[in-house]
């Protein structure tokens, strides 16, 4: 039987029979030239490992082994295919602390890209190879988007305001970026206690994060 974390390929756009590429793999990512894939093998409480294989799933090799119960998420290739960037955290959900590392696709030691005691996650190397866009919260509760040069220069914040930014990606011409934005709304609601009464009615709009109501 298929395992919980097998990775499959489905022909597109017309569809067709799915084909299993790797067993015990998830978060599959193709290299820029399409010749290789990277995928994560989850190891439960022991942590996760990162593997690389040919695009058909053959010649698999482990490039980041399981170590220290660290969890590895969101692998992404550099645009020259030389490196794979990823989230690295003791948490299974990229909670604090979470940092960004990279490893050579051919294997070797992992190296830090953005280290923090809080959260830095979802790296996306820029097309010119000079920097990385990522989500981080060095001075706020929510994740904002940042850009950092890979030569060790200062990071630049790209977004402001309320909401949690994550999963940035960029078009091939480098002119448009897409990202997910999660906004949390918490409103006070009133409802009648008798059966058949009015449906719950919000009495605040949720933009101010209201909690702990009390009846006068």
């Amino acid at each position: 039987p298929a395992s919980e974390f097998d990775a499959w390929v489905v022909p597109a756009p017309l569809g067709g029979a799915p084909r299993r590429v790797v067993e015990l793999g998830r978060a599959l990512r193709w290299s820029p030239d399409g010749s290789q894939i990277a995928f994560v093998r989850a190891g439960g409480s022991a942590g996760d490992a990162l593997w690389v294989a040919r695009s058909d799933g053959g010649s698999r090799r482990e490039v980041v082994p399981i170590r220290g119960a660290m969890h590895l998420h969101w692998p992404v290739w550099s645009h020259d295919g030389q490196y794979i960037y990823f989230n690295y955290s003791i948490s299974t959900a990229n909670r604090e602390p979470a940092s960004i590392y990279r490893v050579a696709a051919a294997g070797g030691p992992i190296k830090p890209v953005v280290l923090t005691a809080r959260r830095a996650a979802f790296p996306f190397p820029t097309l010119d190879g000079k920097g990385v866009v990522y989500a981080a919260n060095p001075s706020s509760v929510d994740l904002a988007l940042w850009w950092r040069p890979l030569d060790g220069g200062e990071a630049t914040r790209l977004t402001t305001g309320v909401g949690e930014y994550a999963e940035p990606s960029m078009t091939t011409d480098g002119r448009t970026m897409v990202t997910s934005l999660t906004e949390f709304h918490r409103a006070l609601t009133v409802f009648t206690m008798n059966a058949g009464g009015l449906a719950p009615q919000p009495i605040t709009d949720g933009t101010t994060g209201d909690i702990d109501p009390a009846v006068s």
Side-chain angles (χ1 to χ4, degrees), residues 116-139:
T116 176
R118 303 199 66 190
R119 285 186 294 161
F122 307 110
F124 188 85
T126 56
L127 301 174
D128 57 12
K130 295 181 179 180
V132 60
V133 176
Y134 60 98
N137 65 337
S139 58

PDB file of all heavy atoms in Angstrom, residues 116-139:
ATOM      1  N   THR A 116      17.853  33.473  13.377  1.00  0.00           N
ATOM      2  CA  THR A 116      17.068  34.312  14.264  1.00  0.00           C
ATOM      3  C   THR A 116      16.579  33.482  15.434  1.00  0.00           C
ATOM      4  O   THR A 116      16.410  32.266  15.316  1.00  0.00           O
ATOM      5  CB  THR A 116      15.870  34.933  13.518  1.00  0.00           C
ATOM      6  OG1 THR A 116      15.066  35.686  14.439  1.00  0.00           O
ATOM      7  CG2 THR A 116      14.999  33.864  12.883  1.00  0.00           C
ATOM      8  N   ALA A 117      16.344  34.148  16.567  1.00  0.00           N
ATOM      9  CA  ALA A 117      15.719  33.492  17.710  1.00  0.00           C
ATOM     10  C   ALA A 117      14.210  33.462  17.573  1.00  0.00           C
ATOM     11  O   ALA A 117      13.519  32.831  18.379  1.00  0.00           O
ATOM     12  CB  ALA A 117      16.111  34.205  18.999  1.00  0.00           C
ATOM     13  N   ARG A 118      13.694  34.146  16.538  1.00  0.00           N
ATOM     14  CA  ARG A 118      12.249  34.174  16.312  1.00  0.00           C
ATOM     15  C   ARG A 118      11.913  33.336  15.077  1.00  0.00           C
ATOM     16  O   ARG A 118      12.209  32.167  15.033  1.00  0.00           O
ATOM     17  CB  ARG A 118      11.773  35.620  16.194  1.00  0.00           C
ATOM     18  CG  ARG A 118      12.145  36.451  17.425  1.00  0.00           C
ATOM     19  CD  ARG A 118      11.319  37.704  17.541  1.00  0.00           C
ATOM     20  NE  ARG A 118       9.914  37.371  17.790  1.00  0.00           N
ATOM     21  CZ  ARG A 118       8.931  38.281  17.734  1.00  0.00           C
ATOM     22  NH1 ARG A 118       9.202  39.544  17.443  1.00  0.00           N
ATOM     23  NH2 ARG A 118       7.686  37.927  17.986  1.00  0.00           N
ATOM     24  N   ARG A 119      11.318  33.930  14.031  1.00  0.00           N
ATOM     25  CA  ARG A 119      10.965  33.157  12.853  1.00  0.00           C
ATOM     26  C   ARG A 119      11.540  33.778  11.584  1.00  0.00           C
ATOM     27  O   ARG A 119      11.403  34.979  11.350  1.00  0.00           O
ATOM     28  CB  ARG A 119       9.443  33.069  12.699  1.00  0.00           C
ATOM     29  CG  ARG A 119       8.752  32.126  13.660  1.00  0.00           C
ATOM     30  CD  ARG A 119       7.278  32.013  13.333  1.00  0.00           C
ATOM     31  NE  ARG A 119       6.562  33.258  13.540  1.00  0.00           N
ATOM     32  CZ  ARG A 119       5.377  33.552  13.012  1.00  0.00           C
ATOM     33  NH1 ARG A 119       4.773  32.690  12.219  1.00  0.00           N
ATOM     34  NH2 ARG A 119       4.784  34.698  13.267  1.00  0.00           N
ATOM     35  N   ALA A 120      12.157  32.966  10.765  1.00  0.00           N
ATOM     36  CA  ALA A 120      12.524  33.305   9.395  1.00  0.00           C
ATOM     37  C   ALA A 120      12.235  32.061   8.573  1.00  0.00           C
ATOM     38  O   ALA A 120      12.723  30.971   8.899  1.00  0.00           O
ATOM     39  CB  ALA A 120      13.988  33.710   9.283  1.00  0.00           C
ATOM     40  N   ALA A 121      11.415  32.202   7.543  1.00  0.00           N
ATOM     41  CA  ALA A 121      10.936  31.013   6.836  1.00  0.00           C
ATOM     42  C   ALA A 121      10.562  31.367   5.402  1.00  0.00           C
ATOM     43  O   ALA A 121      10.560  32.525   5.006  1.00  0.00           O
ATOM     44  CB  ALA A 121       9.723  30.425   7.568  1.00  0.00           C
ATOM     45  N   PHE A 122      10.255  30.349   4.620  1.00  0.00           N
ATOM     46  CA  PHE A 122       9.781  30.480   3.239  1.00  0.00           C
ATOM     47  C   PHE A 122      10.753  31.257   2.351  1.00  0.00           C
ATOM     48  O   PHE A 122      10.409  32.273   1.756  1.00  0.00           O
ATOM     49  CB  PHE A 122       8.396  31.129   3.202  1.00  0.00           C
ATOM     50  CG  PHE A 122       7.385  30.449   4.077  1.00  0.00           C
ATOM     51  CD1 PHE A 122       6.920  31.057   5.232  1.00  0.00           C
ATOM     52  CD2 PHE A 122       6.921  29.179   3.766  1.00  0.00           C
ATOM     53  CE1 PHE A 122       5.996  30.425   6.057  1.00  0.00           C
ATOM     54  CE2 PHE A 122       6.008  28.527   4.589  1.00  0.00           C
ATOM     55  CZ  PHE A 122       5.536  29.156   5.726  1.00  0.00           C
ATOM     56  N   PRO A 123      11.987  30.787   2.219  1.00  0.00           N
ATOM     57  CA  PRO A 123      12.957  31.500   1.381  1.00  0.00           C
ATOM     58  C   PRO A 123      12.607  31.391  -0.095  1.00  0.00           C
ATOM     59  O   PRO A 123      12.062  30.380  -0.559  1.00  0.00           O
ATOM     60  CB  PRO A 123      14.265  30.769   1.680  1.00  0.00           C
ATOM     61  CG  PRO A 123      13.839  29.375   2.039  1.00  0.00           C
ATOM     62  CD  PRO A 123      12.550  29.547   2.793  1.00  0.00           C
ATOM     63  N   PHE A 124      12.939  32.442  -0.845  1.00  0.00           N
ATOM     64  CA  PHE A 124      12.820  32.414  -2.304  1.00  0.00           C
ATOM     65  C   PHE A 124      14.015  33.169  -2.880  1.00  0.00           C
ATOM     66  O   PHE A 124      14.064  34.401  -2.815  1.00  0.00           O
ATOM     67  CB  PHE A 124      11.513  33.055  -2.783  1.00  0.00           C
ATOM     68  CG  PHE A 124      11.283  32.856  -4.258  1.00  0.00           C
ATOM     69  CD1 PHE A 124      10.686  31.702  -4.726  1.00  0.00           C
ATOM     70  CD2 PHE A 124      11.699  33.815  -5.184  1.00  0.00           C
ATOM     71  CE1 PHE A 124      10.494  31.502  -6.086  1.00  0.00           C
ATOM     72  CE2 PHE A 124      11.503  33.618  -6.543  1.00  0.00           C
ATOM     73  CZ  PHE A 124      10.899  32.465  -6.999  1.00  0.00           C
ATOM     74  N   PRO A 125      15.025  32.449  -3.405  1.00  0.00           N
ATOM     75  CA  PRO A 125      16.200  33.126  -3.963  1.00  0.00           C
ATOM     76  C   PRO A 125      15.816  33.972  -5.171  1.00  0.00           C
ATOM     77  O   PRO A 125      15.017  33.547  -6.012  1.00  0.00           O
ATOM     78  CB  PRO A 125      17.116  31.968  -4.367  1.00  0.00           C
ATOM     79  CG  PRO A 125      16.593  30.770  -3.629  1.00  0.00           C
ATOM     80  CD  PRO A 125      15.128  30.994  -3.458  1.00  0.00           C
ATOM     81  N   THR A 126      16.377  35.175  -5.249  1.00  0.00           N
ATOM     82  CA  THR A 126      16.080  36.049  -6.382  1.00  0.00           C
ATOM     83  C   THR A 126      16.733  35.516  -7.652  1.00  0.00           C
ATOM     84  O   THR A 126      17.697  34.746  -7.617  1.00  0.00           O
ATOM     85  CB  THR A 126      16.557  37.477  -6.106  1.00  0.00           C
ATOM     86  OG1 THR A 126      17.956  37.451  -5.793  1.00  0.00           O
ATOM     87  CG2 THR A 126      15.797  38.076  -4.939  1.00  0.00           C
ATOM     88  N   LEU A 127      16.205  35.938  -8.789  1.00  0.00           N
ATOM     89  CA  LEU A 127      16.649  35.402 -10.070  1.00  0.00           C
ATOM     90  C   LEU A 127      18.109  35.716 -10.356  1.00  0.00           C
ATOM     91  O   LEU A 127      18.789  34.960 -11.048  1.00  0.00           O
ATOM     92  CB  LEU A 127      15.761  35.953 -11.190  1.00  0.00           C
ATOM     93  CG  LEU A 127      14.269  35.637 -11.081  1.00  0.00           C
ATOM     94  CD1 LEU A 127      13.488  36.351 -12.163  1.00  0.00           C
ATOM     95  CD2 LEU A 127      14.039  34.142 -11.160  1.00  0.00           C
ATOM     96  N   ASP A 128      18.589  36.862  -9.854  1.00  0.00           N
ATOM     97  CA  ASP A 128      19.967  37.249 -10.134  1.00  0.00           C
ATOM     98  C   ASP A 128      20.973  36.553  -9.226  1.00  0.00           C
ATOM     99  O   ASP A 128      22.188  36.738  -9.368  1.00  0.00           O
ATOM    100  CB  ASP A 128      20.137  38.765 -10.014  1.00  0.00           C
ATOM    101  CG  ASP A 128      19.739  39.304  -8.640  1.00  0.00           C
ATOM    102  OD1 ASP A 128      19.545  38.503  -7.707  1.00  0.00           O
ATOM    103  OD2 ASP A 128      19.605  40.539  -8.516  1.00  0.00           O
ATOM    104  N   GLY A 129      20.491  35.761  -8.273  1.00  0.00           N
ATOM    105  CA  GLY A 129      21.377  35.034  -7.386  1.00  0.00           C
ATOM    106  C   GLY A 129      22.035  35.883  -6.315  1.00  0.00           C
ATOM    107  O   GLY A 129      22.912  35.399  -5.594  1.00  0.00           O
ATOM    108  N   LYS A 130      21.613  37.142  -6.174  1.00  0.00           N
ATOM    109  CA  LYS A 130      22.272  38.036  -5.231  1.00  0.00           C
ATOM    110  C   LYS A 130      21.608  38.108  -3.866  1.00  0.00           C
ATOM    111  O   LYS A 130      22.188  38.633  -2.921  1.00  0.00           O
ATOM    112  CB  LYS A 130      22.337  39.451  -5.829  1.00  0.00           C
ATOM    113  CG  LYS A 130      23.207  39.550  -7.073  1.00  0.00           C
ATOM    114  CD  LYS A 130      23.245  40.971  -7.603  1.00  0.00           C
ATOM    115  CE  LYS A 130      24.141  41.074  -8.830  1.00  0.00           C
ATOM    116  NZ  LYS A 130      24.186  42.469  -9.375  1.00  0.00           N
ATOM    117  N   GLY A 131      20.382  37.630  -3.772  1.00  0.00           N
ATOM    118  CA  GLY A 131      19.684  37.752  -2.501  1.00  0.00           C
ATOM    119  C   GLY A 131      18.591  36.716  -2.351  1.00  0.00           C
ATOM    120  O   GLY A 131      18.385  35.860  -3.214  1.00  0.00           O
ATOM    121  N   VAL A 132      17.883  36.812  -1.230  1.00  0.00           N
ATOM    122  CA  VAL A 132      16.789  35.905  -0.955  1.00  0.00           C
ATOM    123  C   VAL A 132      15.648  36.700  -0.337  1.00  0.00           C
ATOM    124  O   VAL A 132      15.856  37.566   0.515  1.00  0.00           O
ATOM    125  CB  VAL A 132      17.244  34.752  -0.023  1.00  0.00           C
ATOM    126  CG1 VAL A 132      17.752  35.292   1.306  1.00  0.00           C
ATOM    127  CG2 VAL A 132      16.130  33.747   0.204  1.00  0.00           C
ATOM    128  N   VAL A 133      14.441  36.459  -0.806  1.00  0.00           N
ATOM    129  CA  VAL A 133      13.219  37.005  -0.220  1.00  0.00           C
ATOM    130  C   VAL A 133      12.681  35.955   0.749  1.00  0.00           C
ATOM    131  O   VAL A 133      12.694  34.756   0.450  1.00  0.00           O
ATOM    132  CB  VAL A 133      12.175  37.328  -1.305  1.00  0.00           C
ATOM    133  CG1 VAL A 133      10.866  37.804  -0.667  1.00  0.00           C
ATOM    134  CG2 VAL A 133      12.710  38.382  -2.267  1.00  0.00           C
ATOM    135  N   TYR A 134      12.208  36.397   1.896  1.00  0.00           N
ATOM    136  CA  TYR A 134      11.740  35.457   2.911  1.00  0.00           C
ATOM    137  C   TYR A 134      10.747  36.154   3.825  1.00  0.00           C
ATOM    138  O   TYR A 134      10.558  37.379   3.769  1.00  0.00           O
ATOM    139  CB  TYR A 134      12.913  34.896   3.715  1.00  0.00           C
ATOM    140  CG  TYR A 134      13.715  35.940   4.459  1.00  0.00           C
ATOM    141  CD1 TYR A 134      13.498  36.191   5.815  1.00  0.00           C
ATOM    142  CD2 TYR A 134      14.698  36.684   3.806  1.00  0.00           C
ATOM    143  CE1 TYR A 134      14.233  37.151   6.493  1.00  0.00           C
ATOM    144  CE2 TYR A 134      15.434  37.642   4.475  1.00  0.00           C
ATOM    145  CZ  TYR A 134      15.205  37.873   5.814  1.00  0.00           C
ATOM    146  OH  TYR A 134      15.913  38.828   6.485  1.00  0.00           O
ATOM    147  N   ALA A 135      10.111  35.395   4.698  1.00  0.00           N
ATOM    148  CA  ALA A 135       9.172  35.929   5.685  1.00  0.00           C
ATOM    149  C   ALA A 135       9.824  35.858   7.061  1.00  0.00           C
ATOM    150  O   ALA A 135      10.435  34.853   7.409  1.00  0.00           O
ATOM    151  CB  ALA A 135       7.871  35.127   5.672  1.00  0.00           C
ATOM    152  N   ALA A 136       9.697  36.940   7.831  1.00  0.00           N
ATOM    153  CA  ALA A 136      10.306  36.977   9.164  1.00  0.00           C
ATOM    154  C   ALA A 136       9.575  37.969  10.049  1.00  0.00           C
ATOM    155  O   ALA A 136       8.846  38.839   9.564  1.00  0.00           O
ATOM    156  CB  ALA A 136      11.791  37.344   9.075  1.00  0.00           C
ATOM    157  N   ASN A 137       9.781  37.836  11.360  1.00  0.00           N
ATOM    158  CA  ASN A 137       9.145  38.737  12.322  1.00  0.00           C
ATOM    159  C   ASN A 137      10.146  39.200  13.387  1.00  0.00           C
ATOM    160  O   ASN A 137       9.912  39.009  14.586  1.00  0.00           O
ATOM    161  CB  ASN A 137       7.936  38.067  12.986  1.00  0.00           C
ATOM    162  CG  ASN A 137       8.340  36.862  13.838  1.00  0.00           C
ATOM    163  OD1 ASN A 137       9.386  36.254  13.630  1.00  0.00           O
ATOM    164  ND2 ASN A 137       7.501  36.513  14.805  1.00  0.00           N
ATOM    165  N   PRO A 138      11.251  39.826  13.008  1.00  0.00           N
ATOM    166  CA  PRO A 138      12.243  40.225  14.015  1.00  0.00           C
ATOM    167  C   PRO A 138      11.739  41.264  15.001  1.00  0.00           C
ATOM    168  O   PRO A 138      12.249  41.361  16.115  1.00  0.00           O
ATOM    169  CB  PRO A 138      13.397  40.778  13.166  1.00  0.00           C
ATOM    170  CG  PRO A 138      12.753  41.213  11.897  1.00  0.00           C
ATOM    171  CD  PRO A 138      11.670  40.219  11.653  1.00  0.00           C
ATOM    172  N   SER A 139      10.733  42.051  14.602  1.00  0.00           N
ATOM    173  CA  SER A 139      10.256  43.122  15.480  1.00  0.00           C
ATOM    174  C   SER A 139       8.733  43.200  15.526  1.00  0.00           C
ATOM    175  O   SER A 139       8.180  44.237  15.866  1.00  0.00           O
ATOM    176  CB  SER A 139      10.822  44.474  15.021  1.00  0.00           C
ATOM    177  OG  SER A 139      10.451  44.729  13.671  1.00  0.00           O
TER     178      SER A 139
END
